[in-house]
Amino acid sequence: MTLDKFFTDTKDLLKLAYPILIAQLIQNLMSFADTVMAGRVSATDMAAVAVASSIWLPIILTIYGVIMALSAIVSQFAGSKKFTNIGHSTIQTGWIALILSILVIIAYYLFIPVIETSVTLEPELKRLMFDYLGYIVWGGPGFCLYVVLRNFAEGLSYTKPTMIISIIGLLINIPANYIFIYGEFGAPQLGGAGCGIATAIVYWAMFIGMLIYVYTSKKLSHINLFKSLSWPDFGEISNVLKLGVPIALSLLFEVSLFSVVAIILAPFGAEIVASHQVAINFSGLVFMVPLSIAMAVTIKVGFAVGENKLQQAKDMCTNSMILGFIIALFTASGTIIFREQIALIYTNDVGVVSLAAKLMFLAALFQFSDFIQVISAGALRGYKDTKAILYITFVSYWLVGLSVGLILGVTDWVVPQTGPYGFWIGFIFGLTTAAILLAWRLKVIQKRAELGILPKGTVIIP
């Protein structure tokens, strides 16, 4: 492999990845806008949005993970020139998205009355939180169908529409928040709960925007997506779920780990929880970079495998790892150098800033492992090897990461109790374990591919 090949692959990856990155950052910015605008009403409104979001996000991200399988399916079919299959798989994934999102709405109305009576919270906080959830669930179908069309377009290497539609979503989100939080233009004054309606409107607007793009785009006309409309095909739905459920569960394992640690740290005091939250929030923003590259890697590897260009797929994996390591050098260095200034963006509390800066030093250390593990997982999705991701993430995050965190953070078994530092060291152990195992699994899959043994369901040109 030559230097020219590395630069060519890097250029191709970044061309796909940068619109995805901008779209991911904008979605984070929407959540930030919700929190800030609700906070201007009262601390209770801001807390209600934060708590409700922590319930909603794991649910919607789980469905999102299932749908993520579509980009690998589409890219392999496109690489093998089986365009008719693309439309059918996309429509069937749409049925999955619609059914799951409707089940969430039904579950809300079945279980929330029971949960509401058993939750002990300050009355106004509880009311705002459940009102927010009651509004946002109606946006769930719109968001899930948007993600289906997004993965359809991205699987065909068209990522810019996602970026443009995310920008439109943000431009709708802020005025919609203003209208429903403060009751402007004849709308009801809902406080923080109004963010739920605003977000639901944004979800449907993004779906309609993507639908218009897909329907009118000449670039996608050869797929004839809407001619593939059909009733549920449970055979194809099963194929999508076999790929998507492991992705969804692996996402859930990762997201829930950080939530569980925040709960465990609660007895240590507000300052420690706030410091942890600052460091986690910033780490999440940095994570958008390798995640975007990983999503681009899925597409490029899927195309190469579908074209039966296995060496090209292997080279793309290697070059993406090198690119990830180079970017991690910059992000980790920037985190270490500017960690106090970064913490000051979130708060002026001296104690929180000091502790958050120390935690961000540890966050900088695990960025290398984070880049490797997420890019490896993206490559494995391109090969349609998703069960391994599920097993490895469970072992790495929950059996290794959380165990190390608990031992160092809340016991004196190895060293005197270290509190939050122990959990962040646990994150380093967990992510490093995931990076090693996922990279190893990727090597195994590549060697099997060379022998003509590919994961079940792989589609290639004969």
PDB file of all heavy atoms in Angstrom, residues 59-84:
ATOM      1  N   ILE A  59     -34.142   5.008  24.406  1.00  0.00           N
ATOM      2  CA  ILE A  59     -35.210   4.323  23.661  1.00  0.00           C
ATOM      3  C   ILE A  59     -35.066   4.578  22.171  1.00  0.00           C
ATOM      4  O   ILE A  59     -35.048   3.648  21.356  1.00  0.00           O
ATOM      5  CB  ILE A  59     -36.594   4.802  24.149  1.00  0.00           C
ATOM      6  CG1 ILE A  59     -36.822   4.391  25.602  1.00  0.00           C
ATOM      7  CG2 ILE A  59     -37.704   4.239  23.260  1.00  0.00           C
ATOM      8  CD1 ILE A  59     -38.041   5.025  26.241  1.00  0.00           C
ATOM      9  N   ILE A  60     -34.959   5.847  21.793  1.00  0.00           N
ATOM     10  CA  ILE A  60     -34.912   6.195  20.373  1.00  0.00           C
ATOM     11  C   ILE A  60     -33.585   5.767  19.748  1.00  0.00           C
ATOM     12  O   ILE A  60     -33.530   5.394  18.577  1.00  0.00           O
ATOM     13  CB  ILE A  60     -35.171   7.710  20.172  1.00  0.00           C
ATOM     14  CG1 ILE A  60     -35.703   7.979  18.767  1.00  0.00           C
ATOM     15  CG2 ILE A  60     -33.951   8.535  20.463  1.00  0.00           C
ATOM     16  CD1 ILE A  60     -37.069   7.428  18.486  1.00  0.00           C
ATOM     17  N   LEU A  61     -32.485   5.786  20.537  1.00  0.00           N
ATOM     18  CA  LEU A  61     -31.196   5.345  20.003  1.00  0.00           C
ATOM     19  C   LEU A  61     -31.177   3.837  19.761  1.00  0.00           C
ATOM     20  O   LEU A  61     -30.470   3.361  18.872  1.00  0.00           O
ATOM     21  CB  LEU A  61     -30.062   5.740  20.958  1.00  0.00           C
ATOM     22  CG  LEU A  61     -29.621   7.206  20.906  1.00  0.00           C
ATOM     23  CD1 LEU A  61     -28.573   7.476  21.975  1.00  0.00           C
ATOM     24  CD2 LEU A  61     -29.080   7.593  19.533  1.00  0.00           C
ATOM     25  N   THR A  62     -31.950   3.093  20.545  1.00  0.00           N
ATOM     26  CA  THR A  62     -32.042   1.649  20.320  1.00  0.00           C
ATOM     27  C   THR A  62     -32.689   1.359  18.969  1.00  0.00           C
ATOM     28  O   THR A  62     -32.203   0.524  18.194  1.00  0.00           O
ATOM     29  CB  THR A  62     -32.839   0.982  21.453  1.00  0.00           C
ATOM     30  OG1 THR A  62     -32.188   1.252  22.709  1.00  0.00           O
ATOM     31  CG2 THR A  62     -32.917  -0.520  21.258  1.00  0.00           C
ATOM     32  N   ILE A  63     -33.787   2.071  18.668  1.00  0.00           N
ATOM     33  CA  ILE A  63     -34.425   1.903  17.355  1.00  0.00           C
ATOM     34  C   ILE A  63     -33.478   2.384  16.260  1.00  0.00           C
ATOM     35  O   ILE A  63     -33.364   1.759  15.192  1.00  0.00           O
ATOM     36  CB  ILE A  63     -35.760   2.676  17.304  1.00  0.00           C
ATOM     37  CG1 ILE A  63     -36.705   2.183  18.407  1.00  0.00           C
ATOM     38  CG2 ILE A  63     -36.422   2.506  15.938  1.00  0.00           C
ATOM     39  CD1 ILE A  63     -38.010   2.955  18.503  1.00  0.00           C
ATOM     40  N   TYR A  64     -32.796   3.487  16.510  1.00  0.00           N
ATOM     41  CA  TYR A  64     -31.813   4.022  15.560  1.00  0.00           C
ATOM     42  C   TYR A  64     -30.752   2.965  15.241  1.00  0.00           C
ATOM     43  O   TYR A  64     -30.352   2.793  14.080  1.00  0.00           O
ATOM     44  CB  TYR A  64     -31.157   5.260  16.175  1.00  0.00           C
ATOM     45  CG  TYR A  64     -30.099   5.930  15.329  1.00  0.00           C
ATOM     46  CD1 TYR A  64     -30.437   6.932  14.429  1.00  0.00           C
ATOM     47  CD2 TYR A  64     -28.757   5.586  15.434  1.00  0.00           C
ATOM     48  CE1 TYR A  64     -29.471   7.563  13.658  1.00  0.00           C
ATOM     49  CE2 TYR A  64     -27.785   6.204  14.667  1.00  0.00           C
ATOM     50  CZ  TYR A  64     -28.153   7.196  13.781  1.00  0.00           C
ATOM     51  OH  TYR A  64     -27.192   7.806  13.021  1.00  0.00           O
ATOM     52  N   GLY A  65     -30.310   2.241  16.257  1.00  0.00           N
ATOM     53  CA  GLY A  65     -29.298   1.208  16.059  1.00  0.00           C
ATOM     54  C   GLY A  65     -29.791   0.094  15.157  1.00  0.00           C
ATOM     55  O   GLY A  65     -29.040  -0.408  14.314  1.00  0.00           O
ATOM     56  N   VAL A  66     -31.055  -0.298  15.326  1.00  0.00           N
ATOM     57  CA  VAL A  66     -31.627  -1.333  14.448  1.00  0.00           C
ATOM     58  C   VAL A  66     -31.601  -0.858  12.999  1.00  0.00           C
ATOM     59  O   VAL A  66     -31.203  -1.591  12.083  1.00  0.00           O
ATOM     60  CB  VAL A  66     -33.076  -1.668  14.878  1.00  0.00           C
ATOM     61  CG1 VAL A  66     -33.726  -2.603  13.861  1.00  0.00           C
ATOM     62  CG2 VAL A  66     -33.093  -2.302  16.259  1.00  0.00           C
ATOM     63  N   ILE A  67     -31.996   0.390  12.779  1.00  0.00           N
ATOM     64  CA  ILE A  67     -32.085   0.935  11.421  1.00  0.00           C
ATOM     65  C   ILE A  67     -30.702   1.110  10.795  1.00  0.00           C
ATOM     66  O   ILE A  67     -30.561   1.043   9.564  1.00  0.00           O
ATOM     67  CB  ILE A  67     -32.850   2.280  11.443  1.00  0.00           C
ATOM     68  CG1 ILE A  67     -34.272   2.059  11.968  1.00  0.00           C
ATOM     69  CG2 ILE A  67     -32.905   2.907  10.053  1.00  0.00           C
ATOM     70  CD1 ILE A  67     -35.019   3.348  12.282  1.00  0.00           C
ATOM     71  N   MET A  68     -29.669   1.292  11.616  1.00  0.00           N
ATOM     72  CA  MET A  68     -28.310   1.481  11.101  1.00  0.00           C
ATOM     73  C   MET A  68     -27.845   0.324  10.225  1.00  0.00           C
ATOM     74  O   MET A  68     -26.957   0.491   9.384  1.00  0.00           O
ATOM     75  CB  MET A  68     -27.319   1.662  12.255  1.00  0.00           C
ATOM     76  CG  MET A  68     -27.233   3.079  12.793  1.00  0.00           C
ATOM     77  SD  MET A  68     -26.029   3.223  14.138  1.00  0.00           S
ATOM     78  CE  MET A  68     -24.489   3.058  13.236  1.00  0.00           C
ATOM     79  N   ALA A  69     -28.436  -0.843  10.423  1.00  0.00           N
ATOM     80  CA  ALA A  69     -28.073  -1.996   9.589  1.00  0.00           C
ATOM     81  C   ALA A  69     -28.321  -1.712   8.117  1.00  0.00           C
ATOM     82  O   ALA A  69     -27.661  -2.291   7.238  1.00  0.00           O
ATOM     83  CB  ALA A  69     -28.861  -3.228  10.026  1.00  0.00           C
ATOM     84  N   LEU A  70     -29.270  -0.817   7.821  1.00  0.00           N
ATOM     85  CA  LEU A  70     -29.659  -0.570   6.431  1.00  0.00           C
ATOM     86  C   LEU A  70     -28.510  -0.015   5.591  1.00  0.00           C
ATOM     87  O   LEU A  70     -28.401  -0.361   4.405  1.00  0.00           O
ATOM     88  CB  LEU A  70     -30.854   0.387   6.387  1.00  0.00           C
ATOM     89  CG  LEU A  70     -31.403   0.695   4.991  1.00  0.00           C
ATOM     90  CD1 LEU A  70     -31.931  -0.568   4.318  1.00  0.00           C
ATOM     91  CD2 LEU A  70     -32.509   1.758   5.075  1.00  0.00           C
ATOM     92  N   SER A  71     -27.666   0.831   6.154  1.00  0.00           N
ATOM     93  CA  SER A  71     -26.580   1.423   5.346  1.00  0.00           C
ATOM     94  C   SER A  71     -25.632   0.337   4.837  1.00  0.00           C
ATOM     95  O   SER A  71     -25.176   0.400   3.683  1.00  0.00           O
ATOM     96  CB  SER A  71     -25.818   2.480   6.144  1.00  0.00           C
ATOM     97  OG  SER A  71     -25.151   1.909   7.248  1.00  0.00           O
ATOM     98  N   ALA A  72     -25.339  -0.673   5.672  1.00  0.00           N
ATOM     99  CA  ALA A  72     -24.475  -1.775   5.226  1.00  0.00           C
ATOM    100  C   ALA A  72     -25.174  -2.619   4.173  1.00  0.00           C
ATOM    101  O   ALA A  72     -24.561  -3.041   3.185  1.00  0.00           O
ATOM    102  CB  ALA A  72     -24.073  -2.638   6.420  1.00  0.00           C
ATOM    103  N   ILE A  73     -26.474  -2.862   4.365  1.00  0.00           N
ATOM    104  CA  ILE A  73     -27.244  -3.644   3.390  1.00  0.00           C
ATOM    105  C   ILE A  73     -27.266  -2.933   2.043  1.00  0.00           C
ATOM    106  O   ILE A  73     -27.011  -3.531   0.996  1.00  0.00           O
ATOM    107  CB  ILE A  73     -28.678  -3.873   3.909  1.00  0.00           C
ATOM    108  CG1 ILE A  73     -28.665  -4.788   5.148  1.00  0.00           C
ATOM    109  CG2 ILE A  73     -29.570  -4.471   2.822  1.00  0.00           C
ATOM    110  CD1 ILE A  73     -29.990  -4.846   5.888  1.00  0.00           C
ATOM    111  N   VAL A  74     -27.586  -1.636   2.077  1.00  0.00           N
ATOM    112  CA  VAL A  74     -27.675  -0.850   0.839  1.00  0.00           C
ATOM    113  C   VAL A  74     -26.329  -0.776   0.138  1.00  0.00           C
ATOM    114  O   VAL A  74     -26.241  -0.957  -1.086  1.00  0.00           O
ATOM    115  CB  VAL A  74     -28.214   0.568   1.141  1.00  0.00           C
ATOM    116  CG1 VAL A  74     -28.046   1.489  -0.072  1.00  0.00           C
ATOM    117  CG2 VAL A  74     -29.672   0.507   1.557  1.00  0.00           C
ATOM    118  N   SER A  75     -25.255  -0.512   0.890  1.00  0.00           N
ATOM    119  CA  SER A  75     -23.934  -0.361   0.257  1.00  0.00           C
ATOM    120  C   SER A  75     -23.469  -1.664  -0.392  1.00  0.00           C
ATOM    121  O   SER A  75     -22.891  -1.643  -1.487  1.00  0.00           O
ATOM    122  CB  SER A  75     -22.902   0.138   1.275  1.00  0.00           C
ATOM    123  OG  SER A  75     -22.740  -0.772   2.340  1.00  0.00           O
ATOM    124  N   GLN A  76     -23.733  -2.811   0.248  1.00  0.00           N
ATOM    125  CA  GLN A  76     -23.344  -4.084  -0.371  1.00  0.00           C
ATOM    126  C   GLN A  76     -24.156  -4.359  -1.634  1.00  0.00           C
ATOM    127  O   GLN A  76     -23.620  -4.793  -2.652  1.00  0.00           O
ATOM    128  CB  GLN A  76     -23.481  -5.238   0.620  1.00  0.00           C
ATOM    129  CG  GLN A  76     -22.321  -5.344   1.592  1.00  0.00           C
ATOM    130  CD  GLN A  76     -22.270  -6.699   2.281  1.00  0.00           C
ATOM    131  OE1 GLN A  76     -22.962  -7.639   1.900  1.00  0.00           O
ATOM    132  NE2 GLN A  76     -21.428  -6.814   3.291  1.00  0.00           N
ATOM    133  N   PHE A  77     -25.464  -4.106  -1.583  1.00  0.00           N
ATOM    134  CA  PHE A  77     -26.291  -4.287  -2.782  1.00  0.00           C
ATOM    135  C   PHE A  77     -25.843  -3.348  -3.904  1.00  0.00           C
ATOM    136  O   PHE A  77     -25.808  -3.738  -5.069  1.00  0.00           O
ATOM    137  CB  PHE A  77     -27.768  -4.041  -2.469  1.00  0.00           C
ATOM    138  CG  PHE A  77     -28.475  -5.224  -1.854  1.00  0.00           C
ATOM    139  CD1 PHE A  77     -29.326  -5.066  -0.776  1.00  0.00           C
ATOM    140  CD2 PHE A  77     -28.307  -6.504  -2.378  1.00  0.00           C
ATOM    141  CE1 PHE A  77     -30.002  -6.144  -0.213  1.00  0.00           C
ATOM    142  CE2 PHE A  77     -28.975  -7.600  -1.831  1.00  0.00           C
ATOM    143  CZ  PHE A  77     -29.813  -7.416  -0.741  1.00  0.00           C
ATOM    144  N   ALA A  78     -25.511  -2.107  -3.535  1.00  0.00           N
ATOM    145  CA  ALA A  78     -25.069  -1.141  -4.549  1.00  0.00           C
ATOM    146  C   ALA A  78     -23.746  -1.573  -5.166  1.00  0.00           C
ATOM    147  O   ALA A  78     -23.561  -1.486  -6.383  1.00  0.00           O
ATOM    148  CB  ALA A  78     -24.933   0.243  -3.920  1.00  0.00           C
ATOM    149  N   GLY A  79     -22.828  -2.061  -4.324  1.00  0.00           N
ATOM    150  CA  GLY A  79     -21.543  -2.528  -4.836  1.00  0.00           C
ATOM    151  C   GLY A  79     -21.692  -3.708  -5.771  1.00  0.00           C
ATOM    152  O   GLY A  79     -20.952  -3.841  -6.749  1.00  0.00           O
ATOM    153  N   SER A  80     -22.688  -4.566  -5.503  1.00  0.00           N
ATOM    154  CA  SER A  80     -22.911  -5.751  -6.347  1.00  0.00           C
ATOM    155  C   SER A  80     -23.912  -5.481  -7.471  1.00  0.00           C
ATOM    156  O   SER A  80     -24.303  -6.404  -8.182  1.00  0.00           O
ATOM    157  CB  SER A  80     -23.401  -6.922  -5.492  1.00  0.00           C
ATOM    158  OG  SER A  80     -24.610  -6.591  -4.844  1.00  0.00           O
ATOM    159  N   LYS A  81     -24.330  -4.179  -7.589  1.00  0.00           N
ATOM    160  CA  LYS A  81     -25.239  -3.745  -8.675  1.00  0.00           C
ATOM    161  C   LYS A  81     -26.625  -4.385  -8.600  1.00  0.00           C
ATOM    162  O   LYS A  81     -27.321  -4.495  -9.608  1.00  0.00           O
ATOM    163  CB  LYS A  81     -24.612  -4.038 -10.049  1.00  0.00           C
ATOM    164  CG  LYS A  81     -23.218  -3.471 -10.239  1.00  0.00           C
ATOM    165  CD  LYS A  81     -23.223  -1.956 -10.255  1.00  0.00           C
ATOM    166  CE  LYS A  81     -21.862  -1.385 -10.645  1.00  0.00           C
ATOM    167  NZ  LYS A  81     -20.982  -1.143  -9.534  1.00  0.00           N
ATOM    168  N   LYS A  82     -27.043  -4.780  -7.395  1.00  0.00           N
ATOM    169  CA  LYS A  82     -28.377  -5.366  -7.220  1.00  0.00           C
ATOM    170  C   LYS A  82     -29.320  -4.286  -6.693  1.00  0.00           C
ATOM    171  O   LYS A  82     -29.755  -4.291  -5.538  1.00  0.00           O
ATOM    172  CB  LYS A  82     -28.300  -6.563  -6.273  1.00  0.00           C
ATOM    173  CG  LYS A  82     -27.441  -7.692  -6.843  1.00  0.00           C
ATOM    174  CD  LYS A  82     -27.394  -8.892  -5.916  1.00  0.00           C
ATOM    175  CE  LYS A  82     -26.546 -10.014  -6.534  1.00  0.00           C
ATOM    176  NZ  LYS A  82     -26.442 -11.200  -5.662  1.00  0.00           N
ATOM    177  N   PHE A  83     -29.652  -3.337  -7.576  1.00  0.00           N
ATOM    178  CA  PHE A  83     -30.376  -2.144  -7.171  1.00  0.00           C
ATOM    179  C   PHE A  83     -31.834  -2.428  -6.797  1.00  0.00           C
ATOM    180  O   PHE A  83     -32.409  -1.734  -5.963  1.00  0.00           O
ATOM    181  CB  PHE A  83     -30.305  -1.090  -8.286  1.00  0.00           C
ATOM    182  CG  PHE A  83     -28.909  -0.635  -8.585  1.00  0.00           C
ATOM    183  CD1 PHE A  83     -28.314  -0.917  -9.801  1.00  0.00           C
ATOM    184  CD2 PHE A  83     -28.176   0.052  -7.635  1.00  0.00           C
ATOM    185  CE1 PHE A  83     -27.016  -0.510 -10.080  1.00  0.00           C
ATOM    186  CE2 PHE A  83     -26.878   0.473  -7.899  1.00  0.00           C
ATOM    187  CZ  PHE A  83     -26.290   0.188  -9.117  1.00  0.00           C
ATOM    188  N   THR A  84     -32.426  -3.443  -7.395  1.00  0.00           N
ATOM    189  CA  THR A  84     -33.818  -3.779  -7.064  1.00  0.00           C
ATOM    190  C   THR A  84     -33.944  -4.177  -5.595  1.00  0.00           C
ATOM    191  O   THR A  84     -34.927  -3.826  -4.925  1.00  0.00           O
ATOM    192  CB  THR A  84     -34.318  -4.940  -7.959  1.00  0.00           C
ATOM    193  OG1 THR A  84     -34.155  -4.574  -9.322  1.00  0.00           O
ATOM    194  CG2 THR A  84     -35.786  -5.234  -7.684  1.00  0.00           C
TER     195      THR A  84
END
